[in-house]
Structure formats: structure tokens, C-alpha cells
Amino acid sequence: MSYVPTFVPTEQPLYLKLQISQIPAAWDELKLKHFLSSQGYTVSDVQMLKKEDLKSKGIAIVKFNKMQEGEKATKQLKEVAVDGMQPLVLKWAEGEKERLGVAEETSPKIQIDGLQKDCEEAMIKEIFMKYGQVTDVQIQNQGQSSISAIVSYTFKESCLLAIKNNHNKNQLGDRPLDVRFLGQPATIAKSQYPETPANEEGDPIRDITKSYTRWLDQKKKPIYIHWETGEIVRSVSFGSIIYSPDGSKEIITKEKYLNDLATFNSKKTGPPGANLFVFHLPNEHKDSDLMDLFSSYGNVISARVMTDPKTGKSKGFGFVSFDKQESAQKAKEAMDGHLIDKKKLSVTFKQGDGTPCQPLQYQWLPSIQQVQFDPFDL
């Protein structure tokens, strides 16, 4: 499954129902709603609980249209005295824990399993900050073939959106992401996605499932034909064995993968402030489409759509680098939020010194001999 970040708002925004107690006896629904509005909260439903004689119990069930506002209210209003009385008491209404799948006392932290080993904190933050303010990112399980990360948010609403949009749907490695609240058990068994075994030299075991023949297409760009399935892909992962028509072969070790990737990126980066992340691209978009989208704003020196190393399919995001900061600024202002094929693009600047965060797949094989042969021209 390819990685397609879904950063557009959900069709049904998350809301939160709170039980508010210690309400002044003289207040009715309208008075309570007016008070909450004066504090900056938007509510759509207020139900006052009443005694048998129809007098108020001083308790109400209130629906906050935005879950984040409800979370804020539980912290902020406990410090606000009402009509000279003690502050209101707010807590999640009965049934909200079951509806949302998380308890009120749960910390706003998520754990992400299934990340590729070389994924860095900056990359994780860049992706998951789209769901809310990220306060911290910590990489776990360093040294394993895949890693985990703990992402801390300000609000649990951000956690729920991150889980809804990524859990068992998207991937930043060789298996779907397992995204859940910190402390909850994993729901995606690792045995479903076994890791590649290693031989005595430490390289992945090579067999027919990892073997490809390399050719050039009509545009002189490399393609790889899988020995077992005959599938044609544009990129391969480390551990693959690549054969040329002359019989020579090359093993794509992890060291070569990372070295070649670093060389590739060093030639395709603009100056600091001239490099952009582009998220939520249509699945069918290629490098050339990304280039066309941004070329009207300046000189694009690199436009890359990230692809799955096994399927060659788009992961739904890419990188665009300009030769000038001014061009990147114009492109961001014009294209952030731009609607294309019913998808809303999200365009942000790369963090740091302008160097792109490391893509998560093998993009080229510069050391393999260029063979001037077109398999489609027979």
C-alpha cells in the first residue's frame, strides 16, 4: 500500500460532548450557551438536566462543535468563577470514551510502528504536524530494521486524526503503519510483514523474488523487469540483485543504497528556503506532472514524486526545488491548498538548511552500466 497522506479535513469534524456541573441555578440553556460563547467556544447543543419539579440540577450536557475546543474548555474554565460562585466543573460526557475510543485521562501521544530505519525525526514531524501542534518526536528501537516513534501533540483530537488517516492505510517503510495511542496494544502483527533474512555477510538473502533485469526505456530512463512476475518498475529496494543484458550483475546493498541516494540528493537541492514538500498529490501524478505544476513560478531544478520501491506506485507526496527562494515562496503561496483532481495540495517549506529529508526508496542506480536497449521496441 502506498503512502498517501490525507491532510484535508474530515467530512464529519470531530466533536466532543462534555458534562458541565456547578451551573448557577438561575441559568437556563440560553444563558449557558451565551457564557460559553463569550469565552470563545462554539457549541451547537445544550441540554440542561432537571429535577422532577423541573428545576435545574445545575448540570448540562454540552456538545462542542470542535473536539479541540472541548479539550481546551476542560482546562481553562476550571479557573473561571461564575457569578461569584466557584468555577464550573467539566468532564467528558458519558459514552464519549466508547464513541471516540480513548479515555479523557489519556495523554495526547501516539506511537507509530513500521517506520523505515532511516526515517528521521524531522521527516516524521513534517508529516504528522498536519494534524495539529506537535510538541515532541522521539525515535524508539534504534538499530532495528524498522523503528518506532512517539509523537506528542497538544490535543487528543490531533491524535485521533493522525490515527484515522494513517493506521493500516499508509506506509513509510515495508509494511503499513501501526498508529495508536501510546500504551495501547499493537493491532498489526509483525508476522504479517516478515523482515528480509540476512546471510552470513549481513546482506539480504537473494533469490528470484529479488531479481530484476535492467533496461532503458525510449527516454533512456532505467526500468527494472522482475524475474518472477514480469512486472516493470522504475525503482528497486536495497537487497535487490540487478542483471544487465551483458550478464553482469550488481547487488544493491544498504550501504550503496544510502550512498547513491545521498549523491542523488546533493545534486538535486536548491539553496536554503528554496525547497518544498508537496503533500496529497493525485496517485497518478509523475515527476513531469509535478514539474508542470510548479514551473510557472520559477526555475525548477528538481521535481520528484516519491514512489513505493516494490510497486513503483506514487506515495502521494514529493519534493520540488527551485534555484531561488523567491520562486519557492511564490509557489507555496499559490499552490498550498490548491485543488487538483478533488484533492487539496499541502505545500510547506523543508525544515533545516533546505536539504530535502531523505526519501524512503531507492531512486536510481548510478553505478550500473547504461545499456542502450529498449524492450518495447522489438
Side-chain angles (χ1 to χ4, degrees):
M1 184 179 295
S2 60
Y3 180 68
V4 185
T6 48
F7 297 142
V8 295
T10 56
E11 294 182 1
Q12 296 181 341
L14 296 178
Y15 65 88
L16 182 63
K17 287 186 177 181
L18 297 180
Q19 176 181 303
I20 304 178
S21 55
Q22 294 187 177
I23 301 171
W27 284 22
D28 58 10
E29 286 91 344
L30 186 61
K31 177 68 174 177
L32 178 57
K33 189 172 184 178
H34 177 74
F35 168 75
L36 293 173
S37 178
S38 70
Q39 299 296 314
Y41 302 110
T42 303
V43 299
S44 59
D45 187 24
V46 178
Q47 297 179 357
M48 298 290 291
L49 303 185
K50 298 181 179 181
K51 303 176 183 178
E52 292 183 0
D53 59 3
L54 300 183
K55 291 183 179 180
S56 172
K57 288 184 176 182
I59 302 174
I61 304 300
V62 180
K63 179 180 178 180
F64 286 73
N65 293 349
K66 296 180 179 179
M67 181 178 176
Q68 185 177 126
E69 288 192 1
E71 293 184 77
K72 287 182 181 179
T74 60
K75 300 177 181 179
Q76 295 175 349
L77 293 184
K78 67 181 181 180
E79 306 294 337
V80 180
V82 179
D83 285 355
M85 301 175 64
Q86 53 189 333
L88 300 175
V89 175
L90 298 89
K91 65 179 183 179
W92 286 20
E94 184 178 354
E96 290 300 87
K97 174 181 178 180
E98 291 73 20
R99 183 179 68 85
L100 295 170
V102 61
E104 179 178 2
E105 61 271 16
T106 301
S107 298
K109 298 180 179 182
I110 58 173
Q111 179 168 335
I112 308 166
D113 293 342
L115 295 167
Q116 184 158 315
K117 180 180 178 181
D118 305 297
C119 195
E120 298 179 349
E121 292 179 358
M123 179 69 170
I124 297 170
K125 182 175 182 179
E126 192 75 34
I127 293 174
F128 283 88
M129 68 188 296
K130 292 298 179 179
Y131 305 109
Q133 183 180 6
V134 175
T135 60
D136 187 43
V137 177
Q138 296 182 5
I139 298 294
Q140 306 289 314
N141 300 332
Q142 291 278 18
Q144 304 298 318
S145 59
S146 65
I147 61 174
S148 299
I150 296 175
V151 177
S152 300
Y153 286 104
T154 304
F155 299 102
K156 286 187 280 291
E157 179 188 44
S158 303
C159 298
L160 289 170
L161 290 174
I163 293 169
K164 180 177 181 180
N165 286 292
N166 291 279
H167 177 69
N168 205 19
K169 295 180 181 179
N170 304 320
Q171 68 184 60
L172 286 172
D174 58 0
R175 62 186 178 93
L177 296 177
D178 191 328
V179 186
R180 61 192 186 277
F181 277 95
L182 181 64
Q184 291 184 346
T187 57
I188 302 178
K190 291 186 177 181
S191 59
Q192 292 179 257
Y193 308 96
E195 300 172 352
T196 303
N199 60 18
E200 294 179 356
E201 287 75 31
D203 291 327
I205 293 176
R206 302 136 193 168
D207 55 31
I208 191 171
T209 63
K210 285 281 190 176
S211 298
Y212 297 82
T213 299
R214 180 183 180 279
W215 308 98
L216 295 181
D217 63 13
Q218 293 177 341
K219 295 182 179 180
K220 302 298 184 284
K221 294 183 178 181
I223 59 174
Y224 305 94
I225 304 175
H226 195 275
W227 278 23
E228 186 176 36
T229 65
E231 181 183 14
I232 298 175
V233 296
R234 290 288 183 183
S235 59
V236 296
S237 61
F238 65 82
S240 299
I241 178 169
I242 307 302
Y243 291 86
S244 294
D246 61 3
S248 61
K249 66 180 180 180
E250 180 167 279
I251 306 299
I252 309 304
T253 63
K254 186 168 186 178
E255 289 72 19
K256 179 177 287 296
Y257 167 90
L258 295 175
N259 289 337
D260 288 348
L261 191 58
T263 301
F264 178 79
N265 285 335
S266 67
K267 297 178 179 180
K268 296 294 183 178
T269 302
N275 304 283
L276 301 174
F277 276 116
V278 184
F279 298 103
H280 211 233
L281 290 167
N283 294 339
E284 64 277 6
H285 266 47
K286 308 297 183 185
D287 292 355
S288 58
D289 299 309
L290 189 59
M291 175 76 77
D292 292 340
L293 279 176
F294 285 84
S295 59
S296 61
Y297 303 103
N299 181 27
V300 177
I301 61 176
S302 176
R304 290 170 290 155
V305 175
M306 297 298 99
T307 57
D308 186 282
K310 295 181 180 178
T311 65
K313 294 181 180 179
S314 169
K315 288 189 174 183
F317 68 96
F319 309 116
V320 177
S321 294
F322 289 89
D323 61 349
K324 297 180 180 179
Q325 295 180 7
E326 295 81 2
S327 301
Q329 181 66 42
K330 290 180 182 178
K332 180 185 181 302
E333 293 175 355
M335 298 302 291
D336 187 31
H338 179 70
L339 193 65
I340 180 170
D341 292 346
K342 299 182 179 181
K343 289 190 174 184
K344 188 178 292 186
L345 297 182
S346 177
V347 182
T348 62
F349 286 105
K350 297 183 191 301
Q351 296 183 343
D353 62 359
T355 301
C357 293
Q358 296 295 331
L360 301 180
Q361 75 289 320
Y362 194 82
Q363 280 291 92
W364 73 327
L365 304 176
S367 58
I368 294 180
Q369 178 183 359
Q370 296 288 324
V371 181
Q372 302 298 323
F373 181 84
D374 185 356
F376 300 105
D377 187 20
L378 298 175

